[in-house]
Amino acid sequence: MEKSKSVSTPLGAHFRLSSATEKEVREQEVYMRDIPYQSAVGLLMYSMVGTRPDLAYAIGMVYRFISSPIKIHWQAVKRILRYLRGTTKVKLAYTNEGKFIVRGYCDADYGAGLDKRKSVTGMVFTVGGNVVSWRSNLQKSIALSTTEAEWITLGEASREAMWLRGFINELGFEQDLVEVFCDSQSAIALSRNPVHHEKTKHVDVKYNFVRELVSEKIIDVVKIATQYNPADIFTKVLPVGKMREALRFLRITEN
């Protein structure tokens, strides 16, 4: 890929990836025999875990097919490599600007998994404005509504917020309340009052502890407009402009 043309996003909107059928695997077996799919994905994952959160969603996508990849999956991996080709100097940047406090941002993409229609959870946490934790993954259960998908994501983000809060308190930086920003008004309402109980009573009890954390003032769920939510890059393919804006906010830059 050394001479490949660079692209502006890790994945294009035209990629609609799903698991290969047995027929597709058989037909493309010869083509895929010498393709280093697993090695390429593993190396890309190393970059993402180290200093490239902007790769999280794309790598999470191609990793789903690591056991039986076909040509379209390999094309998606090469797209990520083309993105890296043009962003070799991009990395996480840490500064001492702002207050040393934990803040979280979370988002969900309802029914995004084409195989089982599972939703995607995305979250990112900053300390003093610097990114320290991020995640993009399929939810373990199938959400029956957008509210449920966001509620599950909020539950996952709340656990991460508690851990980070405890960690920085051990370091001597006391913080009573962690703000977790969410762009779902219904999930925020649910965190403060079980107003949609009939529609969400089937959700695993472990996600409902968000209300307890809110009532005890350990976390505060705050509304953020979707266009300003940086966690969007961990749940879906974004337009170039919006992605660049999120990367600037998260201090993933060339500086």
Side-chain angles (χ1 to χ4, degrees):
M1 303 297 292
E2 282 183 325
K3 298 181 181 179
S4 61
K5 184 179 179 181
S6 63
V7 291
S8 301
T9 57
L11 277 183
H14 61 285
F15 281 105
R16 301 282 292 172
L17 302 179
S18 59
S19 296
T21 63
E22 292 184 5
K23 180 181 178 182
E24 288 174 326
V25 172
R26 286 196 306 269
E27 291 176 345
Q28 300 185 32
E29 182 179 3
V30 176
Y31 174 84
M32 294 300 299
R33 186 173 298 162
D34 297 322
I35 298 296
Y37 189 90
Q38 289 82 2
S39 297
V41 173
L43 291 170
L44 288 169
M45 187 174 294
Y46 179 80
S47 299
M48 180 272 291
V49 171
T51 185
R52 294 299 298 267
D54 51 325
L55 299 178
Y57 173 73
I59 292 174
M61 177 69 75
V62 297
Y63 185 82
R64 299 173 200 171
F65 318 109
I66 201 164
S67 60
S68 298
I70 56 175
K71 187 175 181 179
I72 186 64
H73 303 145
W74 178 237
Q75 289 174 346
V77 171
K78 289 197 291 185
R79 165 86 184 203
I80 301 173
L81 291 171
R82 290 173 60 196
Y83 172 71
L84 279 178
R85 171 97 177 132
T87 58
T88 54
K89 295 183 180 180
V90 171
K91 57 191 176 297
L92 280 176
Y94 291 93
T95 72
N96 60 358
E97 300 173 3
K99 296 181 179 179
F100 194 83
I101 59 174
V102 175
R103 280 198 176 97
Y105 304 85
C106 65
D107 193 22
D109 192 11
Y110 173 61
L114 297 183
D115 293 320
K116 297 182 179 179
R117 305 307 295 184
K118 290 184 177 179
S119 303
V120 175
T121 282
M123 68 180 75
V124 59
F125 280 82
T126 64
V127 177
N130 302 303
V131 176
V132 296
S133 175
W134 58 90
R135 187 191 308 175
S136 176
N137 61 275
L138 282 176
Q139 295 178 356
K140 295 181 180 179
S141 58
I142 299 175
L144 302 181
S145 66
T146 301
T147 297
E148 184 179 340
E150 296 279 1
W151 183 239
I152 291 173
T153 294
L154 192 54
E156 298 287 347
S158 298
R159 283 199 288 274
E160 186 73 4
M162 283 186 65
W163 186 88
L164 287 170
R165 172 179 173 267
F167 182 63
I168 70 164
N169 284 350
E170 286 182 12
L171 296 177
F173 299 93
E174 294 294 331
Q175 180 174 344
D176 295 327
L177 184 72
V178 177
E179 290 182 326
V180 178
F181 292 85
C182 174
D183 58 15
S184 171
Q185 195 67 59
S186 55
I188 294 173
L190 194 59
S191 72
R192 295 170 180 167
N193 179 36
V195 289
H196 304 299
H197 179 68
E198 288 300 318
K199 295 184 179 180
T200 56
K201 62 183 180 182
H202 63 283
V203 181
D204 198 318
V205 174
K206 66 182 180 181
Y207 297 112
N208 293 328
F209 85 116
V210 177
R211 294 194 200 105
E212 182 179 347
L213 298 181
V214 171
S215 64
E216 293 181 359
K217 299 188 184 304
I218 295 175
I219 71 167
D220 184 25
V221 185
V222 182
K223 180 72 171 74
I224 185 173
T226 301
Q227 63 266 33
Y228 301 123
N229 190 354
D232 247 9
I233 66 171
F234 300 96
T235 61
K236 59 181 73 73
V237 177
L238 296 180
V240 176
K242 187 172 182 181
M243 182 171 181
R244 287 177 177 170
E245 185 176 335
L247 295 184
R248 281 194 298 270
F249 181 84
L250 297 174
R251 300 179 186 173
I252 305 172
T253 67
E254 295 186 7
N255 299 325

